[in-house]
Amino acid sequence: MIDEDIVQRIKVAGIFLLQVYKVTTGTMLSLFIPQSCQDVSLTNTTELGSRICSLQENYENADGYHQTVMYWNAFSFITFFTYYMIELRREEWAIKFLDIDNDKPDNSLKEIIVKEPKLDKKMDRLNLWYYRTLLFNCGVYGINLGLSAKLVKDGYHSSSTLSCFASFSLLVLMKLYNSLEVARQSVKNDKMMSAYMSEFVSFNVLDKDYVEAKQKELESGVSVEEVFVDVNDNAEEEEEELVVPEQP
């Protein structure tokens, strides 16, 4: 049987790959938005004698403003990457040390985790870093949209220019809005909400593997980190020992 933590990690990885695509197109707008280029041959042109620029032409555009927007696009992409790394680190920590119990309320973790000061401090630190990095990223992306909007106006080709700008931007804005809600609720209510579940899920109990490792630490004096690494393997070995052979 596949461990639940592994299943959660696979889901997070799949969602992350999709997010990378959305963020790439949503931040590098100077590259991916259809823009107008003059067609000297007048082949496959509109009535204005222009065509849609290729990606290479957008990249090699030497116009000063276009270059400025492209550099800011790249900076916005880097800030997104940094924010995603913190978000993934936070999610990985939550999967490792916390769990989800549908029989308990979402805010039950607050009463449980105070008994684990190290975990409590780590959770608060991760939530705060996540929230602050996200706010900075939102500011950078807001400027990115403003600069790109003027680029769209100057390089307008057809309705596809506006539709691509709107769709690429909305995908990123929806992600930012959802992440902000997760971060704000987590910091305000001292909880650990997941940013990658299909529905916002709050980790509300300690992970059973961590609890078992903690108990073994108390009994044997071995550090919880060493026990936690091997706890899944030990659990599998114990299950094999408990198998009763069939009677002939």
Side-chain angles (χ1 to χ4, degrees):
M1 185 176 180
I2 301 178
D3 188 89
E4 291 183 2
D5 288 355
I6 296 178
V7 174
Q8 289 180 337
R9 287 185 175 93
I10 293 174
K11 289 181 178 179
V12 168
I15 297 173
F16 173 72
L17 292 176
L18 178 61
Q19 297 294 341
V20 168
Y21 167 76
K22 293 196 299 184
V23 167
T24 302
T25 56
T27 55
M28 301 301 296
L29 296 170
S30 59
L31 287 178
F32 295 104
I33 291 178
Q35 299 170 57
S36 177
C37 279
Q38 292 299 320
D39 194 342
V40 178
S41 65
L42 298 181
T43 302
N44 190 28
T45 63
T46 66
E47 64 275 13
L48 298 178
S50 64
R51 57 179 174 78
I52 295 178
C53 302
S54 66
L55 288 177
Q56 183 176 356
E57 287 174 322
N58 286 338
Y59 178 75
E60 295 176 350
N61 192 325
D63 178 72
Y65 185 76
H66 191 281
Q67 289 291 315
T68 300
V69 175
M70 184 179 296
Y71 290 145
W72 193 266
N73 287 171
F75 178 63
S76 181
F77 177 81
I78 293 172
T79 60
F80 257 101
F81 182 80
T82 303
Y83 139 65
Y84 267 133
M85 291 302 98
I86 295 177
E87 185 176 73
L88 286 174
R89 177 69 184 91
R90 175 180 177 273
E91 201 77 14
E92 174 68 18
W93 181 88
I95 292 174
K96 183 176 181 180
F97 290 102
L98 306 177
D99 215 335
I100 300 168
D101 188 345
N102 294 325
D103 295 329
K104 294 181 179 294
D106 287 347
N107 58 355
S108 63
L109 178 63
K110 185 175 181 179
E111 299 176 358
I112 298 174
I113 204 169
V114 292
K115 301 175 183 177
E116 299 284 345
K118 291 184 178 180
L119 293 184
D120 192 14
K121 290 181 180 179
K122 183 66 174 180
M123 184 184 73
D124 292 341
R125 187 160 57 250
L126 285 172
N127 281 337
L128 194 58
W129 266 104
Y130 180 51
Y131 187 48
R132 289 176 175 175
T133 306
L134 184 55
L135 288 177
F136 178 75
N137 185 71
C138 288
V140 171
Y141 189 68
I143 297 174
N144 193 32
L145 286 181
L147 294 174
S148 299
K150 185 179 184 304
L151 192 69
V152 169
K153 178 179 178 297
D154 294 341
Y156 180 83
H157 176 271
S158 61
S159 59
S160 61
T161 303
L162 288 178
S163 63
C164 288
F165 176 72
S167 59
F168 292 161
S169 302
L170 284 174
L171 288 174
V172 174
L173 289 173
M174 288 174 62
K175 168 60 181 173
L176 289 176
Y177 173 79
N178 292 335
S179 296
L180 274 174
E181 186 64 18
V182 168
R184 189 182 68 83
Q185 290 289 341
S186 296
V187 171
K188 180 180 178 181
N189 300 321
D190 195 18
K191 60 197 302 187
M192 179 63 75
M193 292 183 67
S194 172
Y196 282 92
M197 303 300 178
S198 56
E199 296 180 359
F200 292 150
V201 176
S202 178
F203 295 93
N204 55 3
V205 295
L206 296 178
D207 186 83
K208 61 181 180 181
D209 293 336
Y210 175 79
V211 173
E212 292 176 4
K214 188 72 174 181
Q215 183 63 31
K216 288 184 179 181
E217 176 191 3
L218 295 175
E219 295 176 354
S220 62
V222 180
S223 65
V224 67
E225 288 79 7
E226 296 177 1
V227 176
F228 190 75
V229 171
D230 300 328
V231 67
N232 290 329
D233 295 335
N234 293 339
E236 292 177 359
E237 293 176 0
E238 292 175 0
E239 289 180 359
E240 293 179 357
E241 294 176 357
L242 292 175
V243 174
V244 179
E246 297 181 358
Q247 296 296 332

